[in-house]
Amino acid sequence: MASASFTITELEKLHAFACDLARHAGKYLREDQVRRQKKALETREKLNSVDLVTDADESVEKLIREAVLSQYPDHAFIGEESYSAGEEKRFLLKDGPTWIVDPIDGTVNMVHMFPMTAISIGFCLNSIPTVGVVFAPFLGGHGSLYSAIHHSQGGAWLSEFGPEGPVIPLPIISPPPPLPKDAPKGCLFFGEWGKDRRDSPQSNLTKKSTNFINMATEIGGRGGKGGMVHGVRSLGSSTMDMVYIASGQGDIMFEAGCWEWDVCGGIAILLQTGGIVVDSNPPENIDETSPIPMANLGGRRYLAIRACSEDADGRSPREQQERLVREVWKRTERLNYERPM
Amino acid sequence: MASASFTITELEKLHAFACDLARHAGKYLREDQVRRQKKALETREKLNSVDLVTDADESVEKLIREAVLSQYPDHAFIGEESYSAGEEKRFLLKDGPTWIVDPIDGTVNMVHMFPMTAISIGFCLNSIPTVGVVFAPFLGGHGSLYSAIHHSQGGAWLSEFGPEGPVIPLPIISPPPPLPKDAPKGCLFFGEWGKDRRDSPQSNLTKKSTNFINMATEIGGRGGKGGMVHGVRSLGSSTMDMVYIASGQGDIMFEAGCWEWDVCGGIAILLQTGGIVVDSNPPENIDETSPIPMANLGGRRYLAIRACSEDADGRSPREQQERLVREVWKRTERLNYERPM
């Protein structure tokens, strides 16, 4: 089908199904961790030693894919592991109902038992992330489940007490405060070092570190690029970075090199709470007043800004967010991530 | 008193008291967060805009200090807020029983509602961290409580289901795996950008970022300093960095600029699980075979390595840990943090 519409009732049912599924997958991962306490994790390496894939990754994707296609046999399914194993590298999102899933984001963290690991389940309609579920099974005893239905009658929620426990609505402060007046000064900035570790002046590692240093440096430093953010955070999970911005637990996520399955679930939550996500490289020919388009979901470059309220000078949320996007663009170098053709 | 000894029973009682106290303080902070959902947090700035102190910081320190001195009136107490407010800046740890407390580590995170915030309660005997309790009240619904009694009959534990819930022993994988054969390659590395944001070639910001880039770069890169770690993580809380190394959820913590109250609780846990902590700047006149002394608790520079087991080549845990310390020293620049006199 070329496009599709779902009623809020249908989306609520789909959201509940996706939450159950994420918790089920999380339970599998917690049990898997217990098994690993007996025996060091056996890994197969892909690309280089940083990019580890575990059997758990493939098992969890299979579990989710089979459940989704059993419940919704006519929906499309894009998953990290099947993408990596396949030959087709183009971004194939069509307008029909499509699930975009990362079985484990933060695999390196999981290998080291660092709890910033998440299962990300996104569901798109008309190419827009519409339902998002991100479950971090090791974050707290019951895990932390962030989810949303992106719809005028939808909502966004955080559940940290298990499936029967209370939920809190997102964003976590409501209404969300305005962005800091001199943002990026005063912002909490999230970015990742990534897997491309080549040492050359134009490498992504070099550019990313330049970006981090610019954002951290005092105002006036780095040739005027100093951003004096409150803090630079690197969690090793772009999925978790995105949900922290989506929930208002951080202000800026600047990330490139990750994929649609890393962020699709988080973007559904971000859109519902009122955040925006754009290309982390400024589009060609954009000037100071052009409206800034939403990021291409398959573009591998994401700059997300949290939701905010009108500020004391009467600037709308969108004005503040677009202003901050331009300020971040001024302080960051274009990264070389493209999609393999 | 010049020195002191406690029985294991006395230490167990003191540990239980400290755990209760940390949870009580955490409950205060969670309630405080709810209040802040109504109203943006009012902060007073100290030093610069990154170093925020909230009323909560002072309230929690007072709560902990009064409870400790009521229960143990002859013990000494060192707390971040009373230090900052006082004139005496020397490190005053004596051999008698001394509590070293950070009411809120990760204040910037707390202001932004990012959950990497912890209450750190350390207890020293003969200048050695002996009981440590680190409670992250926002990490999971019930918070995450890491604690230890550093004693031959002691132990270390993680509690994530509330005071009545189950605990798991630490390190989280037991016995802990050997360090990676080519460490730092393959290690999860934790370090913080800190509050010193000056833009100059010899600034701590410049040196810290150089260190991070070296650790991240491919082997052979950066003039041989490339460490190809699995990941560089920055959480904005040196207390949490330390407990992740202590529990075996990370491998290396390299941090300078923080204080004894940030790490004392975590070090008690680290020592009990079998990790080590040394100066992040190599001591003068140390050669390739000299034993490496433990970090000075008040020295503001900490390099911690997780616990490990004998490796396939028969190298002891201590040999592997000291080898890794030297490999990190080779790849990092000396940082300029001293104690104010």
Side-chain angles (χ1 to χ4, degrees):
Chain A
M1 65 191 94
S3 72
S5 67
F6 277 61
T7 65
I8 182 67
T9 307
E10 287 168 323
L11 289 175
E12 283 167 352
K13 186 179 159 208
L14 188 147
H15 171 264
F17 168 78
C19 288
D20 286 349
L21 190 50
R23 288 193 189 279
H24 183 61
K27 184 162 176 285
Y28 176 93
L29 289 182
R30 282 189 78 108
E31 289 166 359
D32 189 64
Q33 190 189 62
V34 172
R35 287 190 290 272
R36 280 182 290 136
Q37 289 179 15
K38 302 297 174 199
K39 169 177 130 149
L41 182 65
E42 289 172 23
T43 58
R44 298 200 308 280
E45 299 196 356
K46 69 176 178 186
L47 292 180
N48 66 21
S49 67
V50 176
D51 198 349
L52 293 157
V53 62
T54 65
D55 288 341
D57 234 330
E58 290 167 24
S59 304
V60 171
E61 180 164 323
K62 183 162 181 281
L63 180 159
I64 295 174
R65 190 178 57 240
E66 288 179 356
V68 165
L69 295 180
S70 163
Q71 184 78 6
Y72 297 104
D74 60 337
H75 290 190
F77 188 95
I78 298 174
E80 179 185 16
E81 291 307 317
S82 31
Y83 174 90
S84 299
E87 300 222 337
E88 177 59 78
K89 302 297 181 195
R90 285 174 301 175
F91 183 53
L92 293 173
L93 182 59
K94 301 208 175 79
D95 281 350
T98 304
W99 297 70
I100 302 186
V101 169
D102 191 358
I104 307 177
D105 184 72
T107 313
V108 166
N109 288 342
M110 199 182 75
V111 168
H112 290 269
M113 317 291 270
F114 177 58
M116 284 288 169
T117 297
I119 296 149
S120 178
I121 301 179
F123 173 73
C124 289
L125 281 178
N126 303 315
S127 303
I128 300 291
T130 302
V131 172
V133 176
V134 172
F135 184 46
F138 304 109
L139 211 53
H142 296 288
S144 296
L145 190 140
Y146 291 80
S147 71
I149 303 170
H150 176 38
H151 185 282
S152 59
Q153 295 165 266
W157 306 277
L158 168 59
S159 162
E160 299 184 297
F161 292 92
E164 311 303 324
V167 299
I168 62 169
L170 298 176
I172 203 156
I173 302 181
S174 182
L179 292 173
K181 192 176 167 61
D182 303 316
K185 186 182 173 195
C187 289
L188 204 59
F189 175 94
F190 291 67
E192 300 300 335
W193 291 82
K195 294 167 185 157
D196 180 354
R197 306 299 187 78
R198 288 171 293 175
D199 178 26
S200 72
Q202 292 303 310
S203 75
N204 284 308
L205 176 63
T206 303
K207 291 178 171 191
K208 283 186 166 192
S209 56
T210 296
N211 294 347
F212 296 162
I213 299 167
N214 287 350
M215 297 307 296
T217 298
E218 60 188 341
I219 298 295
R222 305 277 296 181
K225 292 192 171 179
M228 195 60 183
V229 294
H230 259 177
V232 174
R233 303 288 177 261
S234 299
L235 308 180
S237 163
S238 45
T239 297
M240 293 306 297
D241 294 338
M242 185 64 84
V243 295
Y244 285 125
I245 306 308
S247 59
Q249 298 176 284
D251 302 300
I252 304 168
M253 171 203 184
F254 182 96
E255 180 54 358
C258 57
W259 300 84
E260 55 272 21
W261 45 79
D262 295 315
V263 294
C264 180
I267 289 175
I269 305 171
L270 179 82
L271 296 176
Q272 181 62 19
T273 57
I276 69 168
V277 59
V278 305
D279 193 329
S280 61
N281 289 352
E284 302 293 341
N285 304 322
I286 196 158
D287 64 27
E288 277 291 326
T289 55
S290 309
I292 302 175
M294 183 171 159
N296 170 6
L297 188 58
R300 303 192 66 200
R301 300 184 305 258
Y302 311 96
L303 168 55
I305 309 288
R306 71 157 166 86
C308 59
S309 302
E310 185 180 289
D311 71 8
D313 299 326
R315 291 187 298 185
S316 71
R318 185 82 198 186
E319 274 178 273
Q320 296 170 63
Q321 290 165 331
E322 293 207 357
R323 186 195 149 279
L324 179 51
V325 163
R326 292 179 208 276
E327 293 295 326
V328 174
W329 281 342
K330 283 179 202 165
R331 290 168 168 83
T332 47
E333 301 200 17
R334 300 177 75 90
L335 295 169
N336 307 318
Y337 290 99
E338 304 288 342
R339 204 168 185 90
M341 295 302 285
Chain B
M1 65 191 93
S3 72
S5 66
F6 276 61
T7 65
I8 182 67
T9 306
E10 287 168 323
L11 289 175
E12 283 166 353
K13 186 178 158 208
L14 188 147
H15 171 264
F17 168 78
C19 288
D20 286 349
L21 190 51
R23 287 194 189 278
H24 183 60
K27 184 161 176 286
Y28 177 92
L29 289 181
R30 282 189 78 109
E31 290 166 358
D32 189 63
Q33 192 188 61
V34 172
R35 287 190 288 273
R36 279 183 290 137
Q37 289 180 14
K38 302 297 175 200
K39 167 176 131 151
L41 183 64
E42 289 171 23
T43 57
R44 296 203 305 282
E45 299 196 357
K46 70 175 178 186
L47 291 181
N48 67 20
S49 67
V50 176
D51 198 349
L52 292 159
V53 62
T54 64
D55 288 341
D57 233 331
E58 289 167 22
S59 303
V60 172
E61 180 163 322
K62 182 162 181 282
L63 179 161
I64 296 174
R65 189 177 60 239
E66 288 179 356
V68 164
L69 296 179
S70 164
Q71 183 79 6
Y72 297 103
D74 59 337
H75 290 189
F77 187 95
I78 299 174
E80 179 186 18
E81 291 307 316
S82 31
Y83 174 90
S84 299
E87 301 225 331
E88 176 60 78
K89 301 298 182 194
R90 287 173 301 172
F91 183 53
L92 293 173
L93 182 59
K94 300 207 175 78
D95 282 349
T98 304
W99 296 70
I100 301 185
V101 170
D102 191 357
I104 306 176
D105 183 73
T107 313
V108 167
N109 288 340
M110 198 180 77
V111 168
H112 290 269
M113 317 292 272
F114 177 57
M116 285 289 170
T117 297
I119 296 149
S120 177
I121 301 179
F123 173 74
C124 289
L125 282 178
N126 303 315
S127 302
I128 300 291
T130 302
V131 172
V133 176
V134 172
F135 184 47
F138 304 110
L139 211 53
H142 296 288
S144 297
L145 190 141
Y146 292 80
S147 72
I149 303 169
H150 176 39
H151 185 282
S152 58
Q153 296 165 264
W157 308 276
L158 168 58
S159 162
E160 299 185 297
F161 292 92
E164 311 304 324
V167 298
I168 62 170
L170 298 175
I172 203 157
I173 303 181
S174 183
L179 291 173
K181 193 177 167 61
D182 303 317
K185 187 182 173 195
C187 288
L188 204 59
F189 176 93
F190 291 68
E192 300 300 335
W193 291 83
K195 293 167 187 158
D196 180 354
R197 306 298 186 77
R198 288 171 294 175
D199 178 26
S200 73
Q202 292 302 309
S203 76
N204 284 309
L205 176 63
T206 302
K207 291 178 169 191
K208 282 185 166 191
S209 56
T210 297
N211 294 346
F212 296 162
I213 299 167
N214 287 350
M215 297 309 295
T217 298
E218 60 188 340
I219 297 295
R222 305 278 297 180
K225 291 193 171 179
M228 194 62 183
V229 294
H230 259 179
V232 173
R233 304 288 177 260
S234 299
L235 309 179
S237 163
S238 44
T239 297
M240 293 307 298
D241 294 338
M242 185 64 83
V243 294
Y244 285 125
I245 307 308
S247 58
Q249 298 176 284
D251 302 300
I252 304 167
M253 170 202 183
F254 182 96
E255 180 54 359
C258 58
W259 299 85
E260 55 271 19
W261 44 79
D262 295 314
V263 294
C264 180
I267 290 175
I269 306 170
L270 180 82
L271 296 176
Q272 181 62 18
T273 57
I276 69 168
V277 57
V278 305
D279 193 329
S280 61
N281 288 351
E284 302 293 341
N285 303 321
I286 198 160
D287 64 28
E288 276 291 326
T289 54
S290 310
I292 301 175
M294 183 170 158
N296 171 7
L297 187 58
R300 304 193 65 201
R301 300 183 305 258
Y302 311 96
L303 168 54
I305 310 289
R306 72 160 165 85
C308 58
S309 301
E310 184 180 286
D311 71 8
D313 299 325
R315 290 187 300 185
S316 72
R318 184 83 198 185
E319 273 177 274
Q320 295 170 62
Q321 289 164 332
E322 293 206 355
R323 184 194 150 279
L324 179 52
V325 164
R326 293 180 208 277
E327 293 295 327
V328 174
W329 280 342
K330 282 180 203 166
R331 290 167 169 83
T332 46
E333 302 200 17
R334 301 177 72 90
L335 294 170
N336 307 318
Y337 291 99
E338 305 287 343
R339 206 171 182 85
M341 296 300 285

